[in-house]
Amino acid sequence: MAGAEGSLTARSGWWLRLALGIVLLLGIQQRLRSLDQSALFIDEGESSLNALSILANGYPAERYLGLPMFENTLTEPWPESEEYEFRDTSYSSRGMAIYHGWLPLYAIALSQYLHGVRPDERTDPPRVQHDDEEIRRRIRAARLPAVAFGALFLLVTFLTGRMLYGVDAGLAALLFAAFAPKCIWLAQQARYYSAGLALSMLAVYAAWRFHRHGRWRDALAAGAAFVLLFHTSSLAFAIALVPCVLLLPGVLGAPRGRAKLALGALVVTLGIVPWMLWTGYLEHGGRIPMARSSLAFPADYLVYLGGRTGRVLLGVLIVLAFGGVWLARRRLPQRLAAVVGGAGLPVLFAVVWILSAYFGFQVLVPAASCSMARLSHVLIAGPILLGSLGIALLARVVLPGHATLLSAAAAVTMLAASGGQPQQANPYETRAVFELVEHLRGRELEGDTRIYALPYQHFCLTYYTGLPVQSIAPVRREFLDNTPGEVLILETVHRLPPPQWEGVQRRAREHGVALADDEAREWVPLLHRRMIRAEVEPLVRELAPALGPEPEWVGPVVADLRLEAEESGRGRIDFGHDNPAMFAGRPPMTIADFWPAFFYRFVAPERRTGAHLNYAARMRSARALLLPSSWIVLTCPARPDVP
């Protein structure tokens, strides 16, 4: 479509420029809201420590505070290590991170530096090094780069939509990107997700500019954009290359098109291959189980569509209808033929990008990362473009003189009708984290105390406190049994899911006690802690705090609620619906059951769970503290009998 890129000044006037500015500002404001009010989740903690290792070493290294980083499913034995049974395959033999792209990590490191956040140093004895205000600043520093990449995503999404089909498509795409809850959520996480979205769209935009204009500088820009994308997410890089193949005829048809394409390819090669050789990236391929080796075709490849069947079928029908109209465009009136004809390649490009993201993710991703939530991260850009193209096309057919205004109104209407709200962080987890940090702040630890945590919070706790907190998952059972010094183990997850207040009310009634609705709700956290206490008490030497006076009915109700939780399966999640490569065919499990199933998935989990858990023996001598959050601190005393 000649001239589709357009000029805002010539075509739209000041009001559109003002509208674009307002949407951009509102989109950024949405992403900045409450940025430091929720705790980091485990993957964010990993990225934050990777970034601090950049400040310490100049590159994302495998160690922080002297501890090896453990962030992935355990698959590779480490016979040379006395403490660890496994090494982490996220790092090369040269001690460099190779599982994730470096660009987002360097962005986080820059933000940390500007916020005054520096790598911690070990203290003797170990102690918490940061107060709550500093912790909030550390969280904000880690997440702000995602907001910056989110702003870039908004801008480039508008430019790409305009490049593909015009200002009307660009504005609709911008509105979807600015206010779609998923886009807002991704731009508030200290991960590569926001950067991956932004640079995927930037690479696509640069490829279309090269296709449209065919200049030497466009070849350089496209090559550079794909280099940046690779160093953000190699998976997103591979996915974005596929639809760009559709643009090759236009590129090769330009004067000296082959030479310009070769220049772009040379930029990509020089921007990627030396880094691969330097870091040891190429050794990575055979070390990690891939999802495709575990997924059953076609059933597991279609898991994502569960619950989305209606939307998918509607989208397929609309695309097929457009295809039929496009094939018959020569029979249409000239004005309609021009509207439909100009959308042909853009629509095909968006559809191929969606298919490439959907199937490419599952074919190319490691099994541990084959989460349907992560699939949605790489899938979201294509539907945004496809939806904006469809809206703009209909607007030009219905109201050609005011297509931009109608496209914007339609996009706003669709966003309002979807009723989606930005994903909210779990306030319970944030309270529990700060409660645990406060407890650690008040502890007097010995110089040789080793601190371990379940692999949900070990990175985050290290980042918050400056304490060397290690994952318990890769540690040898023999090492824990024979360590002479004090061992602190932090169970940062519920051993049992909390009961529902209706269940509390019903069970109390069965034991002759009538609880009003509000009373039943008030009893839930108290009974939940009592349930967990009953689980833990037989496993440890001592459990605090001691039980205080309680009504006679509490004990029988707790026993009933424990039995009900076991028999009903309530609180158990079918993780196969999120990661079929790891959990297809497995029964639902609690969050407490998840970490052994995930981290030991390929190394005989049945030999490392339950009574065979690596810290089960050391736990029997422990003093356990049940925190108000229901998280547990296990203090395993020093063993002077061990040399």
Side-chain angles (χ1 to χ4, degrees):
M1 179 178 176
E5 185 178 356
S7 164
L8 288 181
T9 302
R11 302 187 64 180
S12 309
W14 66 269
W15 71 267
L16 182 53
R17 296 197 300 277
L18 178 62
L20 291 174
I22 291 174
V23 173
L24 282 169
L25 289 175
L26 288 176
I28 295 170
Q29 184 269 338
Q30 287 290 309
R31 287 151 174 79
L32 285 170
R33 290 178 59 189
S34 306
L35 202 63
D36 60 357
Q37 296 306 300
S38 61
L40 301 172
F41 68 93
I42 178 175
D43 292 345
E44 290 183 291
E46 169 211 323
S47 295
S48 301
L49 293 188
N50 283 155
L52 284 180
S53 76
I54 290 174
L55 295 180
N57 303 286
Y59 61 86
E62 67 176 347
R63 287 179 177 266
Y64 185 74
L65 287 179
L67 298 179
M69 303 267 282
F70 285 95
E71 61 191 64
N72 216 329
T73 300
L74 302 170
T75 60
E76 192 169 302
W78 195 356
E80 302 86 358
S81 173
E82 178 187 5
E83 182 173 2
Y84 303 108
E85 187 178 2
F86 304 95
R87 60 165 54 89
D88 195 293
T89 50
S90 300
Y91 300 87
S92 71
S93 59
R94 301 178 187 181
M96 297 180 176
I98 51 176
Y99 194 74
H100 295 304
W102 285 16
L103 179 59
L105 301 179
Y106 275 91
I108 295 172
L110 175 61
S111 178
Q112 289 170 334
Y113 182 83
L114 294 176
H115 279 80
V117 176
R118 299 292 185 270
D120 297 297
E121 296 183 2
R122 295 186 76 148
T123 61
D124 188 11
R127 61 178 175 80
V128 174
Q129 302 184 47
H130 311 295
D131 61 26
D132 288 355
E133 184 179 347
E134 289 178 286
I135 292 172
R136 297 284 186 190
R137 176 159 51 88
R138 284 176 160 243
I139 293 172
R140 186 167 59 253
R143 285 175 171 163
L144 267 175
V147 176
F149 282 116
L152 176 63
F153 175 62
L154 299 185
L155 177 61
V156 181
T157 296
F158 168 75
L159 295 175
T160 305
R162 187 180 70 169
M163 171 69 71
L164 266 64
Y165 199 56
V167 171
D168 41 6
L171 182 56
L174 172 61
L175 286 164
F176 286 137
F179 301 114
K182 174 69 78 171
C183 293
I184 295 172
W185 182 64
L186 293 179
Q188 293 181 310
Q189 297 183 55
R191 291 292 283 165
Y192 61 90
Y193 310 141
S194 183
L197 268 178
L199 293 170
S200 292
M201 195 66 81
L202 179 64
V204 164
Y205 173 66
W208 268 86
R209 283 190 67 88
F210 187 24
H211 162 77
R212 181 70 53 77
H213 303 298
R215 299 169 297 201
W216 289 102
R217 65 174 181 267
D218 296 321
L220 288 170
F226 272 96
V227 169
L228 293 175
L229 179 57
F230 175 86
H231 288 296
T232 299
S233 168
S234 57
L235 175 63
F237 168 86
I239 287 170
L241 279 176
V242 174
C244 290
V245 171
L246 298 171
L247 307 180
L248 286 179
V251 170
L252 296 175
R256 306 194 67 183
R258 293 181 182 275
K260 294 171 183 174
L261 182 62
L263 175 63
L266 179 63
V267 170
V268 173
T269 302
L270 293 177
I272 293 176
V273 174
W275 178 87
M276 288 179 168
L277 298 174
W278 174 54
T279 60
Y281 176 85
L282 296 176
E283 73 186 35
H284 184 62
R287 299 172 62 197
I288 297 180
M290 302 301 287
R292 60 179 177 269
S293 64
S294 301
L295 294 174
F297 186 84
D300 290 345
Y301 283 87
L302 302 178
V303 166
Y304 182 82
L305 303 182
R308 301 176 175 88
T309 307
R311 282 179 286 169
V312 172
L313 287 177
L314 178 61
V316 169
L317 290 174
I318 290 173
V319 170
L320 290 176
F322 170 79
V325 173
W326 187 85
L327 291 173
R329 66 191 182 281
R330 291 186 175 84
R331 303 179 183 178
L332 298 175
Q334 184 176 358
R335 182 181 70 83
L336 295 181
V339 169
V340 173
L345 182 59
V347 168
L348 179 61
F349 184 94
V351 169
V352 172
W353 195 5
I354 292 170
L355 295 174
S356 172
Y358 186 86
F359 291 105
F361 175 88
Q362 298 180 84
V363 169
L364 299 176
V365 77
S369 298
C370 189
S371 162
M372 297 299 100
R374 292 193 181 187
L375 170 56
S376 70
H377 301 170
V378 298
L379 192 61
I380 194 169
I384 284 175
L385 287 182
L386 185 61
S388 65
L389 291 170
I391 285 175
L393 188 152
L394 289 175
R396 293 183 193 185
V397 170
V398 174
L399 203 62
H402 300 280
T404 300
L405 184 60
L406 184 57
S407 295
V412 170
T413 301
M414 290 180 66
L415 286 165
S418 68
Q421 296 293 326
Q423 184 162 333
Q424 300 296 316
N426 184 352
Y428 158 80
E429 186 169 289
T430 300
R431 291 194 299 272
V433 162
F434 278 91
E435 177 186 282
L436 178 56
V437 170
E438 186 61 30
H439 169 77
L440 294 172
R441 194 175 282 133
R443 293 286 297 254
E444 293 185 5
L445 302 173
E446 300 296 328
D448 61 350
T449 298
R450 293 179 179 271
I451 309 173
Y452 299 99
L454 303 190
Y456 297 102
Q457 293 288 341
H458 63 292
F459 287 139
C460 302
L461 289 171
T462 298
Y463 186 61
Y464 300 148
T465 66
L467 289 170
V469 183
Q470 181 58 282
S471 166
I472 194 66
V475 182
R476 296 182 186 276
R477 180 187 298 109
E478 298 81 4
F479 180 84
L480 289 170
D481 291 346
N482 297 318
T483 296
E486 181 182 67
V487 174
L488 205 64
I489 300 173
L490 312 174
E491 290 197 349
T492 53
V493 69
H494 289 153
R495 278 183 166 254
L496 288 173
Q500 295 177 324
W501 70 266
E502 297 93 341
V504 169
Q505 192 178 54
R506 183 180 68 255
R507 292 297 184 180
R509 187 184 308 115
E510 292 172 358
H511 290 277
V513 177
L515 296 177
D517 293 355
D518 289 345
E519 290 177 309
R521 291 187 177 95
E522 290 175 1
W523 272 102
V524 164
L526 302 174
L527 294 175
H528 185 217
R529 285 197 295 275
R530 188 71 167 75
M531 292 165 64
I532 292 175
R533 183 184 184 90
E535 289 283 311
V536 175
E537 203 160 20
L539 306 176
V540 298
R541 178 170 61 87
E542 179 184 336
L543 178 59
L547 278 177
E550 59 184 24
E552 291 184 4
W553 58 268
V554 168
V557 167
V558 166
D560 290 346
L561 290 173
R562 289 178 64 200
L563 185 62
E564 180 179 306
E566 184 66 31
E567 292 179 347
S568 69
R570 196 187 60 77
R572 287 166 172 75
I573 301 169
D574 187 352
F575 288 98
H577 287 310
D578 179 64
N579 190 329
M582 295 285 284
F583 300 113
R586 289 187 60 107
M589 65 187 80
T590 66
I591 297 294
D593 296 328
F594 172 81
W595 76 263
F598 179 84
F599 284 93
Y600 300 143
R601 164 69 170 79
F602 299 101
V603 289
E606 68 279 359
R607 298 208 303 265
R608 294 176 168 83
T609 54
H612 304 292
L613 193 65
N614 56 0
Y615 65 91
R618 195 70 192 257
M619 184 179 181
R620 286 194 285 271
S621 66
R623 300 187 306 273
L625 174 65
L626 180 60
L627 297 173
S629 64
S630 298
W631 288 4
I632 299 169
V633 178
L634 299 169
T635 303
C636 309
R639 299 184 57 186
D641 57 311
V642 176

